[in-house]
mmCIF file of all heavy atoms in Angstrom:
data_model
loop_
_atom_site.group_PDB
_atom_site.id
_atom_site.type_symbol
_atom_site.label_atom_id
_atom_site.label_comp_id
_atom_site.label_asym_id
_atom_site.label_seq_id
_atom_site.Cartn_x
_atom_site.Cartn_y
_atom_site.Cartn_z
ATOM 1 N N PRO A 2 46.135 9.794 36.532
ATOM 2 C CA PRO A 2 47.175 10.536 37.124
ATOM 3 C C PRO A 2 48.660 10.006 36.834
ATOM 4 O O PRO A 2 49.545 10.859 36.686
ATOM 5 C CB PRO A 2 47.037 10.290 38.599
ATOM 6 C CG PRO A 2 46.019 9.172 38.789
ATOM 7 C CD PRO A 2 45.207 9.369 37.509
ATOM 8 N N GLU A 3 48.729 8.755 36.474
ATOM 9 C CA GLU A 3 50.016 8.063 36.151
ATOM 10 C C GLU A 3 50.461 8.751 34.891
ATOM 11 O O GLU A 3 51.748 8.795 34.631
ATOM 12 C CB GLU A 3 49.981 6.674 35.943
ATOM 13 C CG GLU A 3 49.020 6.137 34.931
ATOM 14 C CD GLU A 3 47.683 5.859 35.456
ATOM 15 O OE1 GLU A 3 47.283 6.367 36.511
ATOM 16 O OE2 GLU A 3 46.876 5.127 34.720
ATOM 17 N N PHE A 4 49.663 9.178 33.913
ATOM 18 C CA PHE A 4 50.137 9.888 32.722
ATOM 19 C C PHE A 4 51.000 11.068 32.925
ATOM 20 O O PHE A 4 51.973 11.323 32.136
ATOM 21 C CB PHE A 4 49.038 10.080 31.631
ATOM 22 C CG PHE A 4 48.556 8.762 30.940
ATOM 23 C CD1 PHE A 4 47.670 7.890 31.729
ATOM 24 C CD2 PHE A 4 48.808 8.678 29.620
ATOM 25 C CE1 PHE A 4 47.417 6.710 31.100
ATOM 26 C CE2 PHE A 4 48.398 7.441 29.017
ATOM 27 C CZ PHE A 4 47.603 6.566 29.688
ATOM 28 N N GLY A 5 50.586 11.798 33.887
ATOM 29 C CA GLY A 5 51.419 13.089 34.209
ATOM 30 C C GLY A 5 52.858 12.600 34.625
ATOM 31 O O GLY A 5 53.779 13.463 34.432
ATOM 32 N N LEU A 6 52.782 11.536 35.523
ATOM 33 C CA LEU A 6 54.145 11.137 35.980
ATOM 34 C C LEU A 6 55.080 10.508 34.870
ATOM 35 O O LEU A 6 56.269 10.759 34.832
ATOM 36 C CB LEU A 6 54.014 10.158 37.172
ATOM 37 C CG LEU A 6 53.036 10.681 38.323
ATOM 38 C CD1 LEU A 6 52.775 9.591 39.368
ATOM 39 C CD2 LEU A 6 53.686 11.908 38.999
ATOM 40 N N TYR A 7 54.433 9.761 34.044
ATOM 41 C CA TYR A 7 55.155 9.175 32.858
ATOM 42 C C TYR A 7 55.748 10.326 32.034
ATOM 43 O O TYR A 7 56.915 10.268 31.565
ATOM 44 C CB TYR A 7 54.247 8.340 31.999
ATOM 45 C CG TYR A 7 53.640 7.090 32.683
ATOM 46 C CD1 TYR A 7 52.507 6.487 32.194
ATOM 47 C CD2 TYR A 7 54.238 6.636 33.821
ATOM 48 C CE1 TYR A 7 51.915 5.347 32.860
ATOM 49 C CE2 TYR A 7 53.676 5.422 34.449
ATOM 50 C CZ TYR A 7 52.603 4.859 33.888
ATOM 51 O OH TYR A 7 52.031 3.774 34.467
ATOM 52 N N THR A 8 54.978 11.311 31.784
ATOM 53 C CA THR A 8 55.297 12.509 30.864
ATOM 54 C C THR A 8 56.554 13.226 31.677
ATOM 55 O O THR A 8 57.484 13.692 31.145
ATOM 56 C CB THR A 8 54.223 13.507 30.815
ATOM 57 O OG1 THR A 8 53.020 12.891 30.157
ATOM 58 C CG2 THR A 8 54.579 14.684 29.938
ATOM 59 N N ALA A 9 56.512 13.358 32.996
ATOM 60 C CA ALA A 9 57.487 13.970 33.719
ATOM 61 C C ALA A 9 58.893 13.124 33.608
ATOM 62 O O ALA A 9 60.015 13.572 33.763
ATOM 63 C CB ALA A 9 57.212 14.233 35.241
ATOM 64 N N MET A 10 58.648 11.918 33.370
ATOM 65 C CA MET A 10 59.874 10.925 33.355
ATOM 66 C C MET A 10 60.514 11.019 31.816
ATOM 67 O O MET A 10 61.610 11.505 31.663
ATOM 68 C CB MET A 10 59.571 9.504 33.757
ATOM 69 C CG MET A 10 59.108 9.264 35.183
ATOM 70 S SD MET A 10 58.777 7.607 35.336
ATOM 71 C CE MET A 10 57.802 7.561 36.882
ATOM 72 N N ILE A 11 59.699 10.427 31.047
ATOM 73 C CA ILE A 11 60.160 10.249 29.562
ATOM 74 C C ILE A 11 60.576 11.698 28.964
ATOM 75 O O ILE A 11 61.654 11.793 28.305
ATOM 76 C CB ILE A 11 59.276 9.506 28.786
ATOM 77 C CG1 ILE A 11 58.844 8.242 29.446
ATOM 78 C CG2 ILE A 11 59.674 9.263 27.224
ATOM 79 C CD1 ILE A 11 59.963 7.316 29.561
ATOM 80 N N THR A 12 59.610 12.634 29.020
ATOM 81 C CA THR A 12 59.837 13.866 28.253
ATOM 82 C C THR A 12 61.096 14.467 28.773
ATOM 83 O O THR A 12 61.867 15.214 27.984
ATOM 84 C CB THR A 12 58.565 14.720 28.538
ATOM 85 O OG1 THR A 12 57.425 14.189 27.922
ATOM 86 C CG2 THR A 12 58.809 15.991 27.777
ATOM 87 N N ALA A 13 61.266 14.569 30.066
ATOM 88 C CA ALA A 13 62.540 15.235 30.642
ATOM 89 C C ALA A 13 63.756 14.665 30.197
ATOM 90 O O ALA A 13 64.677 15.294 29.944
ATOM 91 C CB ALA A 13 62.434 15.204 32.212
ATOM 92 N N ILE A 14 63.749 13.327 30.052
ATOM 93 C CA ILE A 14 65.123 12.700 29.693
ATOM 94 C C ILE A 14 65.441 13.033 28.169
ATOM 95 O O ILE A 14 66.444 13.348 27.847
ATOM 96 C CB ILE A 14 64.990 11.134 29.823
ATOM 97 C CG1 ILE A 14 65.028 10.762 31.294
ATOM 98 C CG2 ILE A 14 66.097 10.418 29.101
ATOM 99 C CD1 ILE A 14 64.676 9.285 31.576
ATOM 100 N N VAL A 15 64.458 12.870 27.366
ATOM 101 C CA VAL A 15 64.689 13.024 25.762
ATOM 102 C C VAL A 15 64.897 14.548 25.555
ATOM 103 O O VAL A 15 65.897 14.793 24.836
ATOM 104 C CB VAL A 15 63.505 12.457 25.069
ATOM 105 C CG1 VAL A 15 63.678 12.764 23.527
ATOM 106 C CG2 VAL A 15 63.272 11.021 25.223
ATOM 107 N N ALA A 16 64.101 15.503 26.131
ATOM 108 C CA ALA A 16 64.349 16.839 25.891
ATOM 109 C C ALA A 16 65.636 17.334 26.475
ATOM 110 O O ALA A 16 66.459 18.140 25.832
ATOM 111 C CB ALA A 16 63.268 17.699 26.622
ATOM 112 N N ALA A 17 66.232 16.603 27.580
ATOM 113 C CA ALA A 17 67.441 17.095 28.124
ATOM 114 C C ALA A 17 68.545 16.704 27.233
ATOM 115 O O ALA A 17 69.556 17.359 27.116
ATOM 116 C CB ALA A 17 67.707 16.511 29.515
ATOM 117 N N MET A 18 68.473 15.444 26.582
ATOM 118 C CA MET A 18 69.426 14.929 25.820
ATOM 119 C C MET A 18 69.654 15.680 24.330
ATOM 120 O O MET A 18 70.629 15.900 23.814
ATOM 121 C CB MET A 18 69.390 13.445 25.591
ATOM 122 C CG MET A 18 69.582 12.624 26.797
ATOM 123 S SD MET A 18 71.418 12.627 27.333
ATOM 124 C CE MET A 18 71.247 13.865 28.683
ATOM 125 N N PHE A 19 68.411 16.046 23.892
ATOM 126 C CA PHE A 19 68.360 16.615 22.549
ATOM 127 C C PHE A 19 67.973 18.025 22.393
ATOM 128 O O PHE A 19 67.973 18.699 21.327
ATOM 129 C CB PHE A 19 67.448 15.708 21.777
ATOM 130 C CG PHE A 19 67.947 14.422 21.452
ATOM 131 C CD1 PHE A 19 67.564 13.265 22.227
ATOM 132 C CD2 PHE A 19 68.737 14.042 20.239
ATOM 133 C CE1 PHE A 19 68.079 12.013 21.935
ATOM 134 C CE2 PHE A 19 69.137 12.822 19.933
ATOM 135 C CZ PHE A 19 68.847 11.781 20.892
ATOM 136 N N GLY A 20 67.693 18.604 23.701
ATOM 137 C CA GLY A 20 67.404 20.119 23.600
ATOM 138 C C GLY A 20 68.667 21.033 23.774
ATOM 139 O O GLY A 20 69.722 20.428 23.810
ATOM 140 N N SER A 21 68.516 22.226 23.588
ATOM 141 C CA SER A 21 69.575 23.192 23.563
ATOM 142 C C SER A 21 69.855 23.764 24.944
ATOM 143 O O SER A 21 71.052 24.207 25.188
ATOM 144 C CB SER A 21 69.453 24.223 22.633
ATOM 145 O OG SER A 21 70.486 25.289 22.588
ATOM 146 N N SER A 22 68.963 23.723 25.863
ATOM 147 C CA SER A 22 69.150 24.393 27.205
ATOM 148 C C SER A 22 69.985 23.524 28.104
ATOM 149 O O SER A 22 69.759 22.330 28.097
ATOM 150 C CB SER A 22 67.832 24.761 27.850
ATOM 151 O OG SER A 22 67.979 25.323 29.131
ATOM 152 N N MET A 23 70.847 24.217 28.873
ATOM 153 C CA MET A 23 71.644 23.351 29.913
ATOM 154 C C MET A 23 70.917 23.232 31.244
ATOM 155 O O MET A 23 71.297 22.398 32.047
ATOM 156 C CB MET A 23 72.820 24.170 30.172
ATOM 157 C CG MET A 23 73.812 24.318 28.952
ATOM 158 S SD MET A 23 74.530 22.678 28.450
ATOM 159 C CE MET A 23 75.625 22.416 29.842
ATOM 160 N N ILE A 24 69.761 23.866 31.459
ATOM 161 C CA ILE A 24 69.163 23.864 32.742
ATOM 162 C C ILE A 24 67.582 23.525 32.737
ATOM 163 O O ILE A 24 67.091 23.160 33.643
ATOM 164 C CB ILE A 24 69.439 25.292 33.256
ATOM 165 C CG1 ILE A 24 69.369 25.243 34.861
ATOM 166 C CG2 ILE A 24 68.300 26.392 32.811
ATOM 167 C CD1 ILE A 24 70.517 24.457 35.517
ATOM 168 N N MET A 25 66.995 23.574 31.403
ATOM 169 C CA MET A 25 65.611 23.521 31.440
ATOM 170 C C MET A 25 65.129 22.116 31.690
ATOM 171 O O MET A 25 65.800 21.228 31.076
ATOM 172 C CB MET A 25 65.055 24.081 30.202
ATOM 173 C CG MET A 25 63.478 23.993 30.029
ATOM 174 S SD MET A 25 62.998 24.955 28.627
ATOM 175 C CE MET A 25 63.693 24.019 27.236
ATOM 176 N N ILE A 26 64.143 21.814 32.386
ATOM 177 C CA ILE A 26 63.472 20.560 32.730
ATOM 178 C C ILE A 26 62.130 20.473 31.968
ATOM 179 O O ILE A 26 61.324 21.493 32.139
ATOM 180 C CB ILE A 26 63.214 20.257 34.220
ATOM 181 C CG1 ILE A 26 64.630 20.328 34.954
ATOM 182 C CG2 ILE A 26 62.578 19.011 34.406
ATOM 183 C CD1 ILE A 26 65.454 19.225 34.619
ATOM 184 N N SER A 27 61.854 19.600 31.222
ATOM 185 C CA SER A 27 60.575 19.461 30.580
ATOM 186 C C SER A 27 59.714 18.490 31.252
ATOM 187 O O SER A 27 60.142 17.698 32.011
ATOM 188 C CB SER A 27 60.918 19.083 29.027
ATOM 189 O OG SER A 27 61.522 20.065 28.307
ATOM 190 N N GLY A 28 58.432 18.521 30.888
ATOM 191 C CA GLY A 28 57.351 17.682 31.355
ATOM 192 C C GLY A 28 55.955 18.274 31.197
ATOM 193 O O GLY A 28 55.780 19.024 30.252
ATOM 194 N N PRO A 29 55.143 17.671 31.891
ATOM 195 C CA PRO A 29 53.670 18.286 31.746
ATOM 196 C C PRO A 29 53.652 19.660 32.195
ATOM 197 O O PRO A 29 54.314 20.030 33.141
ATOM 198 C CB PRO A 29 52.888 17.287 32.634
ATOM 199 C CG PRO A 29 53.742 16.850 33.819
ATOM 200 C CD PRO A 29 55.148 16.752 33.013
ATOM 201 N N THR A 30 52.811 20.444 31.493
ATOM 202 C CA THR A 30 52.560 21.837 31.864
ATOM 203 C C THR A 30 51.047 22.160 31.921
ATOM 204 O O THR A 30 50.258 21.523 31.251
ATOM 205 C CB THR A 30 53.277 22.918 30.869
ATOM 206 O OG1 THR A 30 52.514 22.742 29.647
ATOM 207 C CG2 THR A 30 54.750 22.532 30.574
ATOM 208 N N THR A 31 50.724 23.263 32.623
ATOM 209 C CA THR A 31 49.385 23.571 32.844
ATOM 210 C C THR A 31 48.641 24.061 31.590
ATOM 211 O O THR A 31 47.598 23.547 31.098
ATOM 212 C CB THR A 31 49.302 24.830 33.856
ATOM 213 O OG1 THR A 31 50.067 24.578 34.885
ATOM 214 C CG2 THR A 31 47.782 24.953 34.277
ATOM 215 N N ALA A 32 49.269 24.918 30.746
ATOM 216 C CA ALA A 32 48.721 25.438 29.473
ATOM 217 C C ALA A 32 48.505 24.210 28.562
ATOM 218 O O ALA A 32 47.348 24.151 27.944
ATOM 219 C CB ALA A 32 49.614 26.508 28.911
ATOM 220 N N ILE A 33 49.439 23.274 28.284
ATOM 221 C CA ILE A 33 49.311 22.349 27.418
ATOM 222 C C ILE A 33 48.275 21.316 27.852
ATOM 223 O O ILE A 33 47.469 20.815 27.026
ATOM 224 C CB ILE A 33 50.752 21.614 27.108
ATOM 225 C CG1 ILE A 33 51.575 22.525 26.275
ATOM 226 C CG2 ILE A 33 50.413 20.332 26.371
ATOM 227 C CD1 ILE A 33 53.017 21.891 25.982
ATOM 228 N N SER A 34 48.199 21.053 29.144
ATOM 229 C CA SER A 34 47.265 20.123 29.714
ATOM 230 C C SER A 34 45.845 20.718 29.549
ATOM 231 O O SER A 34 44.923 19.896 29.057
ATOM 232 C CB SER A 34 47.370 20.006 31.240
ATOM 233 O OG SER A 34 48.716 19.388 31.538
ATOM 234 N N ALA A 35 45.731 22.008 29.589
ATOM 235 C CA ALA A 35 44.349 22.574 29.317
ATOM 236 C C ALA A 35 43.973 22.637 27.849
ATOM 237 O O ALA A 35 42.827 22.259 27.582
ATOM 238 C CB ALA A 35 44.365 24.117 29.933
ATOM 239 N N VAL A 36 44.931 22.860 26.948
ATOM 240 C CA VAL A 36 44.560 22.764 25.570
ATOM 241 C C VAL A 36 44.293 21.434 25.159
ATOM 242 O O VAL A 36 43.340 21.098 24.357
ATOM 243 C CB VAL A 36 45.812 23.420 24.706
ATOM 244 C CG1 VAL A 36 45.375 23.496 23.240
ATOM 245 C CG2 VAL A 36 46.095 24.780 25.248
ATOM 246 N N LEU A 37 44.880 20.411 25.565
ATOM 247 C CA LEU A 37 44.803 18.983 25.245
ATOM 248 C C LEU A 37 43.367 18.625 25.633
ATOM 249 O O LEU A 37 42.725 17.965 24.986
ATOM 250 C CB LEU A 37 45.809 18.153 25.959
ATOM 251 C CG LEU A 37 45.790 16.574 25.485
ATOM 252 C CD1 LEU A 37 47.177 16.099 25.261
ATOM 253 C CD2 LEU A 37 45.160 15.739 26.652
ATOM 254 N N PHE A 38 42.920 18.988 26.817
ATOM 255 C CA PHE A 38 41.657 18.684 27.496
ATOM 256 C C PHE A 38 40.531 19.215 26.581
ATOM 257 O O PHE A 38 39.653 18.565 26.054
ATOM 258 C CB PHE A 38 41.361 19.127 28.867
ATOM 259 C CG PHE A 38 40.038 19.020 29.437
ATOM 260 C CD1 PHE A 38 39.667 17.769 29.698
ATOM 261 C CD2 PHE A 38 39.245 20.137 29.592
ATOM 262 C CE1 PHE A 38 38.407 17.460 30.188
ATOM 263 C CE2 PHE A 38 37.933 19.946 29.981
ATOM 264 C CZ PHE A 38 37.494 18.682 30.336
ATOM 265 N N THR A 39 40.672 20.540 26.228
ATOM 266 C CA THR A 39 39.717 21.199 25.467
ATOM 267 C C THR A 39 39.650 20.662 23.878
ATOM 268 O O THR A 39 38.622 20.704 23.412
ATOM 269 C CB THR A 39 39.802 22.803 25.341
ATOM 270 O OG1 THR A 39 41.099 22.969 24.905
ATOM 271 C CG2 THR A 39 39.797 23.372 26.656
ATOM 272 N N THR A 40 40.807 20.189 23.477
ATOM 273 C CA THR A 40 40.844 19.689 22.116
ATOM 274 C C THR A 40 40.228 18.238 22.072
ATOM 275 O O THR A 40 39.448 18.005 21.055
ATOM 276 C CB THR A 40 42.380 19.494 21.692
ATOM 277 O OG1 THR A 40 42.945 20.830 21.699
ATOM 278 C CG2 THR A 40 42.382 19.002 20.231
ATOM 279 N N LEU A 41 40.432 17.468 23.028
ATOM 280 C CA LEU A 41 39.848 16.027 22.947
ATOM 281 C C LEU A 41 38.564 15.908 23.613
ATOM 282 O O LEU A 41 37.921 14.873 23.289
ATOM 283 C CB LEU A 41 40.963 15.215 23.635
ATOM 284 C CG LEU A 41 42.298 15.196 23.053
ATOM 285 C CD1 LEU A 41 43.173 14.081 23.858
ATOM 286 C CD2 LEU A 41 42.275 14.856 21.544
ATOM 287 N N SER A 42 38.081 16.742 24.648
ATOM 288 C CA SER A 42 36.926 16.339 25.430
ATOM 289 C C SER A 42 35.701 16.358 24.418
ATOM 290 O O SER A 42 34.656 15.735 24.989
ATOM 291 C CB SER A 42 36.809 17.481 26.504
ATOM 292 O OG SER A 42 36.696 18.747 26.012
ATOM 293 N N ASP A 43 35.666 17.048 23.304
ATOM 294 C CA ASP A 43 34.608 16.975 22.473
ATOM 295 C C ASP A 43 34.441 15.633 21.599
ATOM 296 O O ASP A 43 33.379 15.372 20.893
ATOM 297 C CB ASP A 43 34.574 18.238 21.470
ATOM 298 C CG ASP A 43 34.257 19.436 22.277
ATOM 299 O OD1 ASP A 43 33.559 19.375 23.334
ATOM 300 O OD2 ASP A 43 34.732 20.543 21.868
ATOM 301 N N PHE A 44 35.622 14.936 21.629
ATOM 302 C CA PHE A 44 35.662 13.754 20.678
ATOM 303 C C PHE A 44 35.611 12.445 21.466
ATOM 304 O O PHE A 44 35.115 11.518 20.873
ATOM 305 C CB PHE A 44 37.048 13.730 19.973
ATOM 306 C CG PHE A 44 37.248 14.931 19.210
ATOM 307 C CD1 PHE A 44 38.513 15.610 19.166
ATOM 308 C CD2 PHE A 44 36.222 15.461 18.435
ATOM 309 C CE1 PHE A 44 38.851 16.585 18.321
ATOM 310 C CE2 PHE A 44 36.523 16.668 17.652
ATOM 311 C CZ PHE A 44 37.759 17.350 17.600
ATOM 312 N N ALA A 45 35.891 12.556 22.774
ATOM 313 C CA ALA A 45 35.687 11.289 23.616
ATOM 314 C C ALA A 45 35.655 11.653 25.104
ATOM 315 O O ALA A 45 36.004 12.828 25.551
ATOM 316 C CB ALA A 45 37.074 10.426 23.417
ATOM 317 N N ALA A 46 35.150 10.822 25.831
ATOM 318 C CA ALA A 46 34.993 11.063 27.329
ATOM 319 C C ALA A 46 36.396 10.971 28.013
ATOM 320 O O ALA A 46 37.117 10.084 27.740
ATOM 321 C CB ALA A 46 34.084 9.939 27.934
ATOM 322 N N PRO A 47 36.670 12.025 28.778
ATOM 323 C CA PRO A 47 37.984 12.146 29.330
ATOM 324 C C PRO A 47 38.212 10.823 30.228
ATOM 325 O O PRO A 47 37.351 10.466 31.031
ATOM 326 C CB PRO A 47 37.928 13.411 30.301
ATOM 327 C CG PRO A 47 36.889 14.205 29.709
ATOM 328 C CD PRO A 47 35.861 13.320 29.003
#
């Protein structure tokens, strides 16, 4: 669970400073989480 919180911290700061949107907040998302799981679950135990 801590990896989701780390992503919400670090990703949000860097994307805010170097992205183009004035309002968008970045972090973990459902779709990417699902794709990451299906991509990696066949290679190693979650």
